[in-house]
Amino acid sequence: MTNSIADFFNYFGEYHDDLLIMVAQHLQIVLTVLAISIIIAVPLSLVLYQSQLLSSIVLAILGALYAIPSLAFFAILIPICGLGMPTAVTVLVVYVQFILVRNTLAGFKSVDASILEAGRGMGLSKLQLFVKVQLPLALPSLLGGLRLAVIATIGMTTIAASIGAGGLGTLLFDGLRMDYAVKIVWGTVLAFLLSWAANRILLIFERRSLKKSRGELKTAIRN
């Protein structure tokens, strides 16, 4: 089917409400996945940080799961979780764990041991050392991992539409099925805009935290 530039704008004028609903569905899935993933990844990373052997084993497992094609992963879980959002969220949480855990561990391991030792020498408790020293210094890597996880999740959520989870992927699959370029382009453009906006916002926080960790911004934490 041949489409003109006018068709793209006409489609938005006629179906902008539907497009906004799909964007909202997409964001709902992304935010749900990220919330669950962070709740799991941070404590898991703190546990793995204590053991090099355990962290290597867990990262290898998460890496193997991450390598499974998403459509195949969906197919495996559909008999257990059914079609729709539950399966989509479960699969995406598993994928995101690899990104978050790897970057969180890298952030904690990047903190100079001499700095931690100096903190202990000043009488800081484990909690104070973590909150005042370790976490601020590791934060740039943590935010970098979060940024990658957000972008990856926005992209992979489009595929989740293939199992009835909704979101912008619905436009893409409908457009492919109907050979209707307008839907394909709108789905692609809106998914790109979400990724671009998320990347720019998180990059600001990541750079700011990096400056703080380098002492370029004056910060002080007082009880």
Side-chain angles (χ1 to χ4, degrees), residues 124-197:
L124 295 179
S125 65
K126 287 185 178 181
L127 180 59
Q128 289 174 323
L129 192 64
F130 176 76
V131 173
K132 294 185 176 182
V133 180
Q134 197 169 10
L135 184 58
L137 292 177
L139 192 58
S141 182
L142 271 62
L143 289 175
L146 178 61
R147 180 166 59 87
L148 293 175
V150 170
I151 295 171
T153 304
I154 291 173
M156 289 188 292
T157 298
T158 58
I159 303 175
S162 64
I163 59 169
L168 294 172
T170 304
L171 277 175
L172 295 173
F173 287 108
D174 282 351
L176 289 171
R177 186 176 63 254
M178 299 166 59
D179 191 22
Y180 189 29
V182 171
K183 285 191 172 185
I184 298 174
V185 171
W186 271 116
T188 303
V189 168
L190 291 173
F192 165 78
L193 289 176
L194 284 180
S195 298
W196 178 84

Side-chain angles (χ1 to χ4, degrees), residues 43-95:
L44 177 60
S45 298
L46 290 174
V47 172
L48 297 180
Y49 177 68
Q50 309 301 322
S51 172
Q52 179 64 41
L53 176 61
L54 185 60
S55 65
S56 299
I57 294 173
V58 172
L59 284 176
I61 295 173
L62 292 177
L65 293 173
Y66 188 79
I68 299 176
S70 56
L71 288 176
F73 214 152
F74 288 142
I76 292 171
L77 288 184
I78 285 175
I80 301 173
C81 302
L83 292 170
M85 194 169 178
T87 297
V89 169
T90 302
V91 171
L92 294 177
V93 165
V94 173
Y95 279 137

